[in-house]
Amino acid sequence: MRLDKFLKVSRLIKRRTLAKEVADQGRITINSKVAKASSAVKVNDELAIRFGQKVVTARIEEIKDIVKKDEAVRMFTVLKEEKLEKVEPQFIDDED
């Protein structure tokens, strides 16, 4: 199954077009490799998705084309959620 479709069906990302945009920005990896929206996913793959200042890592448990909302959570297991440190801009002090 394509990555963008899996993200939509599993409800990790609500809309397929949004999943495609996130993937095209290089914010999703599959097994530590940057993924495109068209990348194929399979059971036991690890996804890392960067949402703003947070990275969610999940393992794919099952792949289905159509699932009910309450069954979608069984398609993956969240392994960890990490907050990214905000990087403050560095200013150069010209006073010499």
Side-chain angles (χ1 to χ4, degrees):
M1 176 181 285
R2 286 174 53 111
L3 172 62
D4 57 346
K5 184 172 182 181
F6 175 81
L7 293 170
K8 185 223 181 267
V9 172
S10 68
R11 292 170 173 79
L12 275 165
I13 295 180
K14 299 264 189 243
R15 294 186 322 269
R16 191 167 176 179
T17 53
L18 182 58
K20 182 181 181 326
E21 288 173 15
V22 171
D24 290 346
Q25 293 170 359
R27 293 170 34 195
I28 302 175
T29 61
I30 300 173
N31 300 325
S32 301
K33 295 179 184 169
V34 176
K36 294 181 181 179
S38 61
S39 298
V41 295
K42 56 190 183 306
V43 173
N44 291 325
D45 279 349
E46 262 190 37
L47 303 178
I49 308 165
R50 184 168 47 89
F51 297 102
Q53 297 300 316
K54 180 172 73 169
V55 176
V56 175
T57 304
R59 182 178 51 244
I60 298 175
E61 300 296 342
E62 58 184 55
I63 294 178
K64 294 182 178 179
D65 284 331
I66 301 170
V67 293
K68 295 179 181 174
K69 187 175 183 178
D70 58 331
E71 296 172 358
V73 295
R74 291 190 221 138
M75 294 181 68
F76 62 91
T77 301
V78 174
L79 301 174
K80 62 182 172 180
E81 289 187 36
E82 301 173 289
K83 280 200 170 207
L84 297 175
E85 296 291 323
K86 265 194 167 181
V87 178
E88 295 296 324
Q90 298 290 326
F91 295 102
I92 299 172
D93 190 9
D94 287 341
E95 292 180 31
D96 284 353

